[in-house]
Amino acid sequence: DGGITQSPKYLFRKEGQNVTLSCEQNLNHDAMYWYRQDPGQGLRLIYYSQIVNDFQKGDIAEGYSVSREKKESFPLTVTSAQKNPTAFYLCASSIVLADSTDTQYFGPGTRLTVL
Amino acid sequence: RKEVEQDPGPFNVPEGATVAFNCTYSNSASQSFFWYRQDCRKEPKLLMSVYSSGNEDGRFTAQLNRASQYISLLIRDSKLSDSATYLCVVHMEYGNKLVFGAGTILRVKS
């Protein structure tokens, strides 16, 4: 089945720890994105990548890092510098970078809680 | 002013009712608009794109009003399974990105 997978589904982190969220897609999409969703707020863009070995900061990149070594994979690291990391993290992909007519497909998300 | 604004609701309606949501956007240069549906604790999924001429998909109708900078979603003959959060999404030419509204909660009751 084609799609986007994210793991783990739930993640608990102690303060001061770095954690890495996995995102894999087999849709052969060039563009991938990471969003964060908090209660009562819209999705906010953390990082995006339109091609392997290239990525750009989104609106709230501070405290996060990414890599894009393979087309299929776009892992997100939440570092200890992120002051309020508890949130629902969503990975998405599209054929091209946010083309005005292109659909973004989302993975099932990772719910991160800082203890 | 937020780039995309929605009434958070919740809209509580009985089965079979017709319900409409509006969404306003701030950037008059925006060209593309979408409605996504998000179930509780799940990922958003595209419901429909919104075209200038309006479009209909079964019980769902989306309209665009560029002059007033809003889009709407009309759901006819509501089903229990329509209960979800509906996200308004606007493609911003500046920065070439999608901007998501916070969502409108719909609860359909029997």
Side-chain angles (χ1 to χ4, degrees):
Chain A
D1 290 336
I4 303 176
T5 57
Q6 291 186 242
S7 62
K9 187 172 182 179
Y10 298 97
L11 185 58
F12 298 91
R13 190 194 93 170
K14 293 181 180 179
E15 285 196 24
Q17 281 184 334
N18 293 353
V19 290
T20 297
L21 282 58
S22 169
C23 177
E24 304 277 335
Q25 55 96 0
N26 61 5
L27 300 168
N28 199 33
H29 286 173
D30 285 319
M32 297 186 75
Y33 315 82
W34 273 106
Y35 293 91
R36 168 186 174 137
Q37 187 175 34
D38 295 278
Q41 297 190 41
L43 277 66
R44 292 183 290 168
L45 183 63
I46 304 172
Y47 267 98
Y48 62 96
S49 167
Q50 64 180 95
I51 197 169
V52 175
N53 292 322
D54 181 68
F55 47 83
Q56 305 295 329
K57 292 182 179 180
D59 300 319
I60 54 164
E62 185 175 353
Y64 300 98
S65 66
V66 294
S67 63
R68 187 85 187 275
E69 297 177 1
K70 299 187 298 182
K71 186 176 184 178
E72 304 80 21
S73 179
F74 191 41
L76 173 75
T77 296
V78 184
T79 75
S80 56
Q82 170 49 236
K83 298 306 179 188
N84 185 22
T86 295
F88 187 39
Y89 289 86
L90 288 156
C91 178
S93 71
S94 64
I95 295 175
V96 294
L97 178 67
D99 179 88
S100 63
T101 60
D102 198 21
T103 299
Q104 290 191 15
Y105 296 89
F106 286 85
T110 293
R111 201 163 293 274
L112 173 64
T113 302
V114 174
L115 302 173
Chain B
R1 181 183 175 187
K2 291 182 180 178
E3 292 178 290
V4 178
E5 291 200 73
Q6 296 182 252
D7 180 344
F11 285 63
N12 295 301
V13 303
E15 274 187 289
T18 295
V19 61
F21 312 134
N22 280 346
C23 164
T24 59
Y25 59 95
S26 61
N27 189 335
S28 60
S30 299
Q31 294 296 317
S32 301
F33 310 89
F34 310 89
W35 284 102
Y36 276 72
R37 170 192 168 128
Q38 186 173 25
D39 292 298
C40 186
R41 304 179 77 82
K42 300 286 189 181
E43 73 274 22
K45 294 184 179 179
L46 179 67
L47 179 64
M48 59 198 308
S49 302
V50 187
Y51 304 122
S52 296
S53 56
N55 52 306
E56 185 174 314
D57 183 4
R59 297 182 293 109
F60 299 83
T61 300
Q63 295 282 351
L64 168 64
N65 185 318
R66 287 192 183 275
S68 301
Q69 292 181 211
Y70 77 83
I71 66 173
S72 64
L73 177 68
L74 180 78
I75 305 175
R76 291 180 297 277
D77 189 22
S78 299
K79 311 291 184 190
L80 293 175
S81 57
D82 292 335
S83 297
T85 298
Y86 291 84
L87 307 178
C88 172
V89 183
V90 178
H91 179 259
M92 297 292 183
E93 299 295 324
Y94 176 78
N96 193 22
K97 66 177 184 180
L98 295 181
V99 178
F100 290 76
T104 297
I105 298 171
L106 172 65
R107 296 177 183 151
V108 181
K109 300 182 183 298
S110 59

